[in-house]
Amino acid sequence: MAEGAKPAGAVKASDLFIECLEEEGCEYIFGVPGEENLDFLDSLSRSTKIKLILTRHEQGAGFMAATYGRHTGKTGVCIATLGPGATNFVTAAAYATLGGMPMLMITGQKPIKKSKQGRFQILDVVSMMGPITKFTHQMASSDNIPSRVREAYRLAEEEKPGATHIELPEDIADEHTDSRPLKRSLVRRPTADAKSITQAVHALQNAKAPVLVIGAGANRKMTGKMLREFVEETGIPFLTTQLGKGVIDERHPKFLGCAALSAGDFVHRAVEDADLIINVGHDVIEKPPFFMREGGTPVIHVSTKTAEVDPVYFPAIEVIGDIANAIWQMKEAVTPNPAWNFDHMLAYRAAEVAHTAPLAADTRFPIFPPHLVQQIRDAMPEDGIICLDNGVYKIWFARGYTAYQPNTVLLDNALATMGAGLPSAMMSAMLYPERKVMAVCGDGGFMMNSQEMETAVRLGLNMTVLILNDNSYGMIRWKQANMGFEDFGLTYGNPDFVKYAEAYGAKGHRVESAAHLKQLLAHCNSTPGVHLIDCPVDYSENDQILNKDIKELSKAL
């Protein structure tokens, strides 16, 4: 609407924007508002439905919004100013888009119709966001706010979910308009074609040793239920990628393991024994736990989207549509073949468990990673949530931490950024205050967003942050050793993490032995507030175990 025009019934654009977010069901907005967001902030202050969560860095806000989307399937919303505020969203946007998490970023901008400030702080944020979002748009007219917000939400939540972005300039936010919010549409995902189901079932029934691979796209509420029923009905064993962890309870007797390493693990040997692979929810952002070759094991691709074909992935049959419905259709149509034999596959899993048991029982100090994994699993309840930052420990947890429920092991095997562990745990603790939540971070990753400890304390969250302290960027050191390079350029010093936690008003603890670790985990889980555990870790055998022992033992089988 024309500048200055305020007809009867017109509302301020920033008020309308908030009304549109309310109509979408927005509960929280995370962020660091700037001068260019003040109209929006003023409108938000009058909302009775949306709560502002002020963070200490825009990246933390973005990670929290993305994790809200990951847990709920609904769009998480975050806000920042122009220029440096918007650039600080970039990593979180990539995290959400690659990881399949619905998120809307709202950034401010100088007036676009009459600006007297030259180019101060001005970047082409819309173009910057283009490659890492599903939708990015600058609001040039307040009349279009309802349709653009609706479109941003629709695209954020549509498969594959991801990040969207709207830039709201100051002068547009101050306009008046008679536009009104749009209602959410009712939409159902299309179901898989019956002929493709028939082809898949025919291939399945004629196989001798089929296997189920559960990937990132299968980590949806109904999909997990249908996959469990499929495994129960058919008896076909399953393995997961890192982002498929927990879709089916990993205590299940048909569980073969999680593909945490790139190749050569027990689980990879099990896949090599299969003569048919049913690949559910495959996402190219995760390296597949198998590589296809000409004349090799055929693959059935079950997903919401057709396969992205490359030299190592070219499925024979594609079942495209709602994954949960496709699995249900296959379950109803298949008759388990008495000739199926999974003994050798399951023997690989038994060998992995046998190999891990003595490692997990090793009570050396500093703490041995497999022992840490087992101690945390023992300490966390059935529905407890662990949120991993990124480091070499992610491999130990992906392999050794038994996930009982979906979204109880939040790890990032897509962008694999450092710095997301603490904010994702904070979001989990906000959403599920009745559940135990723990962030597991390396010292490097923790320090990248450690300022959010203040936010966690201010919000009154109950959660534990466990820091694996080795005074180095341990993952890259492991890779450096694996490649035969000298140990160089990857070590540093750390603050006193106990005092650091206490400075924020949190409770700090330092592990002094394996027995003490067990006591501290129990204490932190049973005591309210934000806890930080400084845990010295012994990574000296990473290279030997992960790169050599596992590959030799599994190959011998």
Side-chain angles (χ1 to χ4, degrees):
M1 187 156 287
E3 192 176 349
K6 299 180 184 180
V11 296
K12 187 177 176 181
S14 56
D15 290 343
L16 173 63
F17 206 120
I18 296 298
E19 289 176 31
C20 290
L21 294 176
E22 290 175 339
E23 184 65 45
E24 296 287 348
C26 177
E27 298 177 273
Y28 303 104
I29 296 178
F30 309 89
V32 183
E35 178 186 344
E36 290 71 26
N37 305 119
L38 289 177
D39 288 284
F40 184 93
L41 194 65
D42 180 63
S43 298
L44 177 58
S45 71
R46 292 185 290 278
S47 174
T48 58
K49 298 178 181 177
I50 304 173
K51 184 178 180 182
L52 174 68
I53 305 297
L54 189 68
T55 60
R56 303 308 300 267
H57 193 287
E58 294 87 353
Q59 192 179 96
F63 288 148
M64 291 184 77
T67 305
Y68 175 91
R70 182 177 192 169
H71 273 302
T72 66
K74 299 187 293 184
T75 301
V77 181
C78 50
I79 186 171
T81 190
L82 80 171
T87 58
N88 280 346
F89 267 163
V90 166
T91 301
Y95 172 80
T97 295
L98 292 188
M101 310 173 205
M103 175 175 85
L104 168 61
M105 299 169 288
I106 302 164
T107 61
Q109 188 53 275
K110 299 291 184 190
I112 57 173
K113 295 182 178 177
K114 291 181 182 178
S115 178
K116 299 176 182 178
Q117 297 195 50
R119 302 296 297 172
F120 177 65
Q121 287 194 314
I122 293 179
L123 293 169
D124 185 349
V125 175
V126 171
S127 293
M128 178 181 76
M129 290 294 185
I132 51 173
T133 59
K134 297 179 71 180
F135 170 85
T136 177
H137 181 78
Q138 181 190 70
M139 294 306 316
S141 168
S142 56
D143 294 342
N144 294 334
I145 287 173
S147 65
R148 296 306 87 196
V149 171
R150 179 80 281 276
E151 185 71 350
Y153 263 81
R154 183 186 72 81
L155 288 170
E157 293 171 9
E158 184 179 272
E159 289 288 345
K160 175 185 171 182
T164 58
H165 167 248
I166 294 177
E167 182 176 81
L168 182 63
E170 276 186 285
D171 49 351
I172 305 302
D174 193 37
E175 284 183 357
H176 284 70
T177 175
D178 54 10
S179 291
R180 303 304 303 142
L182 296 174
K183 298 285 184 185
R184 288 178 64 93
S185 58
L186 293 172
V187 60
R188 299 285 297 171
R189 285 188 291 273
T191 56
D193 176 70
K195 288 183 180 178
S196 68
I197 297 289
T198 302
Q199 290 170 339
V201 169
H202 180 263
L204 186 56
Q205 292 190 165
N206 286 299
K208 292 185 177 68
V211 71
L212 194 66
V213 177
I214 299 173
N219 193 5
R220 309 287 185 266
K221 281 183 180 176
M222 283 306 296
T223 307
K225 178 177 183 291
M226 289 303 161
L227 282 166
R228 283 191 298 276
E229 291 180 8
F230 181 85
V231 171
E232 293 292 341
E233 184 79 21
T234 63
I236 295 172
F238 69 96
L239 61 131
T240 73
T241 66
Q242 291 187 42
L243 288 174
K245 265 189 86 66
V247 171
I248 301 178
D249 189 333
E250 292 176 359
R251 292 169 293 188
H252 197 285
K254 298 294 184 180
F255 178 57
L256 296 173
C258 173
L261 295 171
S262 297
D265 202 346
F266 295 96
V267 71
H268 298 104
R269 309 293 185 192
V271 178
E272 288 166 12
D273 266 13
D275 67 344
L276 180 69
I277 298 169
I278 311 158
N279 199 15
V280 183
H282 173 62
D283 193 323
V284 292
I285 50 96
E286 287 198 285
K287 182 183 284 189
F290 58 88
F291 290 132
M292 296 186 68
R293 54 183 172 78
E294 190 67 37
T297 306
V299 172
I300 299 173
H301 174 91
V302 183
S303 188
T304 54
K305 290 189 170 184
T306 53
E308 292 186 44
V309 173
D310 60 32
V312 295
Y313 192 68
F314 41 94
I317 299 170
E318 299 192 39
V319 179
I320 306 304
D322 178 76
I323 296 175
N325 179 269
I327 295 297
W328 175 80
Q329 287 191 66
M330 290 171 66
K331 174 180 74 79
E332 293 297 299
V334 73
T335 302
N337 186 341
W340 287 343
N341 189 327
F342 309 117
D343 292 349
H344 203 189
M345 287 185 200
L346 295 167
Y348 282 114
R349 174 60 180 170
E352 180 183 342
V353 172
H355 173 252
T356 301
L359 302 178
D362 188 326
T363 57
R364 74 180 72 173
F365 187 81
I367 303 296
F368 196 36
H371 182 71
L372 174 75
V373 171
Q374 190 58 54
Q375 286 299 316
I376 292 178
R377 177 63 280 179
D378 291 346
M380 295 299 280
E382 187 99 359
D383 65 350
I385 300 169
I386 63 167
C387 302
L388 304 183
D389 207 277
N390 264 282
V392 70
Y393 52 88
K394 186 175 76 170
I395 294 172
W396 288 109
F397 275 88
R399 288 186 83 253
Y401 186 92
T402 306
Y404 300 159
Q405 296 179 17
N407 282 336
T408 54
V409 180
L410 297 194
L411 54 75
D412 170 21
N413 195 38
L415 183 66
T417 180
M418 297 167 73
L422 173 58
S424 63
M426 290 163 57
M427 186 70 256
S428 301
M430 280 181 63
L431 273 174
Y432 305 110
E434 73 288 355
R435 294 164 71 175
K436 303 302 179 188
V437 176
M438 180 181 296
V440 180
C441 307
D443 44 12
F446 172 74
M447 288 302 290
M448 289 190 180
N449 271 313
S450 62
Q451 72 282 344
E452 300 305 342
M453 288 288 286
E454 187 280 326
T455 310
V457 171
R458 173 166 33 93
L459 293 173
L461 300 179
N462 297 316
M463 57 179 284
T464 301
V465 183
L466 187 139
I467 299 174
L468 289 84
N469 190 343
D470 70 332
N471 293 288
S472 73
Y473 292 118
M475 171 70 99
I476 311 307
R477 259 184 119 186
W478 170 58
K479 296 279 188 183
Q480 192 177 52
N482 185 30
M483 294 171 73
F485 293 127
E486 290 295 315
D487 185 2
F488 174 76
L490 296 166
T491 58
Y492 45 70
N494 277 316
D496 182 327
F497 284 123
V498 173
K499 291 180 179 176
Y500 190 78
E502 290 168 350
Y504 284 118
K507 302 172 183 73
H509 315 271
R510 183 170 291 109
V511 176
E512 294 170 0
S513 67
H516 188 223
L517 169 65
K518 186 174 184 176
Q519 294 168 12
L520 281 179
L521 291 171
H523 169 75
C524 294
N525 267 344
S526 61
T527 311
V530 178
H531 295 266
L532 182 149
I533 300 174
D534 179 1
C535 181
V537 65
D538 179 1
Y539 279 150
S540 62
E541 292 190 44
N542 279 352
D543 187 48
Q544 180 64 40
I545 296 171
L546 297 176
N547 289 330
K548 296 169 187 170
D549 292 355
I550 286 170
K551 292 177 181 179
E552 289 170 9
L553 286 166
S554 65
K555 187 177 182 181
L557 285 171

